[in-house]
Structure formats: structure tokens, C-alpha cells
Amino acid sequence: MKLISTHPIKKSDLGFHGNLFGGKCLAWMDAAAAAYASEYCDTPRMVTKSIDECIFERPGREGQLIKIYGKPIKIGNSSITFRLEARSHNVYNGNQKNILTTNMTFVRIDEQGDAIPISERVKNKFRDFKSEQ
């Protein structure tokens, strides 16, 4: 998986029990994945279509770094789906633990907001990526 974003957990990111607020983590993941979708598909016109089941495996704590990783797992005519992981990163020893895992799907749109096809070049890049795995 490719590292696509890093965030420090601050006091303002915490929920009632002193853990990273789940909605904050999802917002970070959505923003990071949208940027990755735009980069991967060579267009700024990528919008979130869906976020699959979110599996929160452990809490994030103040002072930790959250590293968000992603990889493309499926490409359609106008959409692309990424597997995403948010991991807590221990700055003292480099250990990482999964906090949240999900899939997010993005759609390429035109100026009116209608879905349009992803380029064949991007689809070929995805096929090459899948064949290397």
C-alpha cells in the first residue's frame, strides 16, 4: 500500500473517551483518498461515491501519528475503488497498528456533475498494477 497522508492526533481531534473521534478519522481518510483518486486518475474531478463498512480495530490516542495508506483494488467505467488503512504510528520505534480499514469508491465527473469514463490509459495502468501483485 502507498502512504497517502499523515496526521498528528491533537486534543481537538478527541471524542468523549479521550480517543480519536471516528468521524475525524473518516474525514481524513476521505480527503486523502480523494486526493489519491485525483492523482491516480489524472483529473481533479473525482468525487466520493461510497464508503464501505468501517472496521475500527483500536483507538487512536493524542500525540500519535495517523498514517493513511491506500491502493486501488477495482476500476470500472467511471469509478475506482481503493482499499484504505489508517494506522497509528509509534514515533519511537516505528511500529504501526491498524486503527481503521475500509474501501472507498470515487467517480469521475464532468463540469455538470455527471459521471464520465475514466481514461483508457488509467485503466491500463490499473491492469499493470494488478498483474504485478
Side-chain angles (χ1 to χ4, degrees), residues 7 20 41:
H7 294 271
L20 174 62
C41 295

XYZ file of all heavy atoms in Angstrom, residues 7 20 41:
24
model
N -1.253 12.481 9.718
C -1.875 13.481 10.594
C -1.453 13.238 12.039
O -1.514 12.100 12.516
C -3.409 13.391 10.548
C -3.985 13.743 9.236
N -4.325 15.030 8.894
C -4.287 12.984 8.162
C -4.802 15.039 7.675
N -4.796 13.818 7.204
N -9.331 9.178 19.484
C -9.566 9.857 18.222
C -11.024 9.676 17.818
O -11.541 8.558 17.789
C -8.650 9.283 17.138
C -8.856 9.795 15.708
C -8.605 11.294 15.621
C -7.945 9.036 14.752
N -5.997 9.034 -11.231
C -6.814 9.123 -12.442
C -6.503 10.352 -13.293
O -7.168 10.581 -14.312
C -8.296 9.098 -12.081
S -8.801 7.518 -11.355
